[in-house]
Structures are given as C-alpha cells and as structure tokens.
Amino acid sequence: MLDTKKEYLIIKILQVNLPLWFKQAKRDLPFRQTKDPYSIWISEIMAQQTQIDTLIPYYYRFIKQFPNVFSLTLASEDEVIKAWEGLGYYSRARNLHQAARLIVSDYNGLMPDTFTELIKLPGIGPYTGGAIASIAFNEKVCAVDGNVLRVISRYCNSYDDIGDAKTKKRITQWLETILPQAVGDFNEGLMELGAMICTPQNPKCLLCPIRDGCQSFIAGTTALIPVKKKKQKQVTKKMEVGIVKQNGALFFIRRPDAGLLSGMWSFPITEAAAKNSQAIKKKLEESFSQLGEPVLIGTSRHVFSHVIWEMSVYGFNLDLSVCETNAGYLTANQPPDQSTFKSLAQVDELALPVAFSKLLKLLDNF
Ligand code: SF4
C-alpha cells in the first residue's frame, strides 16, 4: 500500500498522533463517558444511519427506558420499535431486541467480550463488533466504516474504489497490522477524524494531527480521494394511501415482516397503477365489503435511502349503517394482530413510521 521506505514513519505518526489527538479533541458525547459495552452497542447501532447530533436525545431516551440488556429483553418488540420511532431503519431496533434476548439466554446477560462472539449477534457486523470489542474490551481489532475508508485512502493516497469490497478488505488488513496498544482511542480517533477533520468535502488539513504523514496532503490530491462508485439511483414510486375512518377512528395495518418498514404499522398503501385506477380502493375492498368513494385529501413525499414515495392520499368514510360491525368497528378481513382501528388519541400506541405519521395532518381535509 505504501512505499516501504516511508512506511515506518507514516505508521508511527498514525499510531502515536491519532490516539493523543483523540484524547484531547474528542467531542463530549454521552456514550464516550463510559466503557459499558451495552451503552456503546446502543450508540453504535444508532450511529449506523443517523448523525451523532441527531441521535443524542434518542440515545438518552432509549438508555433511560432500557438501561440494560435485561430491560431490553423484557420489553415487547413493539415497545422497542416505538422507542426507536423517528430514527428510521427499524430493522436495527428489531435486531437489538433479538440480540438482547440471545445475550440473556446464551451469555447469562453479559455482552460477549470478543469480536468473534459479538458478530454472531443479529445486527452486529464487523464494524460494530470491532467498535464494541476495541472500545469496551480493548481487543486489538479494527472498525472500518466509510469515515475510516476515506481517512486511510487519503492518508495512503490510494485511488482504489472504496465502494469495492476488496478495497475495504485491504484497508482492514493493513490496519490490523498497525493497531497500537491504545486500540479503542485509535479506532475512535479514526472515526472522529473522519467526522470532524477529514470530512468528505474540504478536509481541514491544517488542523489535522496526522497531516505530516498524509500522502494525499503531500501530493495535493485530497480533493480527488476517496474514489467512490456512483451511488445507486433512487427510484421514485407513485403510491396510493388509503385512510379509512369510522366513528373518528382510523384503520391501520401491520406491514409484512420483510422489506421496507417491515413489521411496523401503516395506513394501507399500494403502488399506483394507471392514472385514476384507484388501486388503493381495490386493495381496501379486499378488507371491507362496503367502501364509499375515495376523496383525495392531499399528497406527500417521503425519501428513503433507495426509494422515494410520492403518495396520493385518499380518505374513505365508512358508513356504519351499511356495515357489519364488531365492537363498534367494522370487521376488517385481516387477522386481528395485523390490523386495528385507533382513535387519534390512541395513534401514539402504534409504532407508526414518519412516512405515515406525517399524513395525519391531512385529516383536516377529510
Ligand atoms: S491531512 Fe487532510 S486529507 Fe490527510 S488525513 Fe488529514 S484531513 Fe485528511
């Protein structure tokens, strides 16, 4: 990776300057005040798809509600998903819950203390496993994420595509050979440097503690590195949402166990077919034998990582006089745990993703 003549000095600068800088310059984050593996685990999972500044209030709330692995185990999946609401990528919460149960059943409630055992748990991949093992247990393993790939590619003036798994493997293997004793501070230093100094655009090289060894700084190529394949284009999908209202209560369904927003609650939604096809009406007619004409009550747009939903939202009023009822509400042709009616005051009881909760404001038009 590097010219062997330079390598000793370059590695020393990285091994010595980086942990020292991290100790002095690190942001004062709540999960950095502890070596508790549970807290580090929660913070690392939250940080996977969420900016640090955004996740801090969620982190405080989550740790307050579930202060240890036992409290997480005792909670229902719905409660955990509810506590995750707003962070998105809900499979993370589901995996946390499953992993907590495994830690209690297979490890007597103690977080596994090695990388090898950690990555056996759902939702813990090599990066998260490396972060927990090195920060909480000082195990000499690295934690390579996008930030680290960028920093090391620049540090080594490497034009290898960081989207390529082979590049990640090469960088991981190189880092494994140079990890210092203070491995937690070294790994966190790399992450912090990537977040605060060696940023994707306009890296602050003049403030950088490893600048003297940085080969792209010396070569003047920092703006060209890292090389990254073009991101997969987001697909835009036209969707139709049906808000079914009866006696002031709204109809919700549970989404399938796999795929986007899996297992969460939502309004019925379907991909629009041809213009004016009213695909949502056809879908709802599978559940309700008597359905009035839909009223277009608004539109909304929601951006996920790979897909954008452009939603037309239709309101349906159910008429009790023409419906079979059950406990005051019409019986939907769905298993009872897969659908429910909730009044507006009860909606908070459901894990309702933002894509749908933001549609509630359209009810004024209905
Ligand atoms: S000198 Fe600049 S490009 Fe090199 S590691 Fe530091 S911030 Fe990144």
Side-chain angles (χ1 to χ4, degrees), residues 150-152 154-155 193 197-199 203-218 222 225:
R150 179 174 64 256
V151 172
I152 297 300
R154 284 178 177 158
Y155 194 69
L193 193 81
I197 303 283
C198 195
T199 45
K204 303 172 188 73
C205 299
L206 294 180
L207 301 175
C208 181
I210 55 170
R211 187 186 62 209
D212 288 348
C214 179
Q215 300 305 292
S216 70
F217 177 75
I218 293 164
T222 56
I225 296 174

Side-chain angles (χ1 to χ4, degrees), residues 35 60 92 103 128 143 152 156 167 199 211 232 237 239 241 248 255 287 308 313 336 345 349:
K35 292 285 178 196
Y60 276 124
R92 293 183 293 169
I103 292 167
T128 308
I152 297 300
C156 300
T167 305
T199 45
R211 187 186 62 209
Q232 192 188 342
K237 286 189 175 176
M239 307 298 288
V241 179
R255 294 182 60 76
S287 299
I308 299 171
V313 185
E349 296 167 11

Side-chain angles (χ1 to χ4, degrees), residues 86 142 148 161 188 191 207 213 226 295 363:
C142 48
V148 174
D161 175 8
E188 283 200 273
M191 299 168 201
L207 301 175
V295 178
L363 290 173

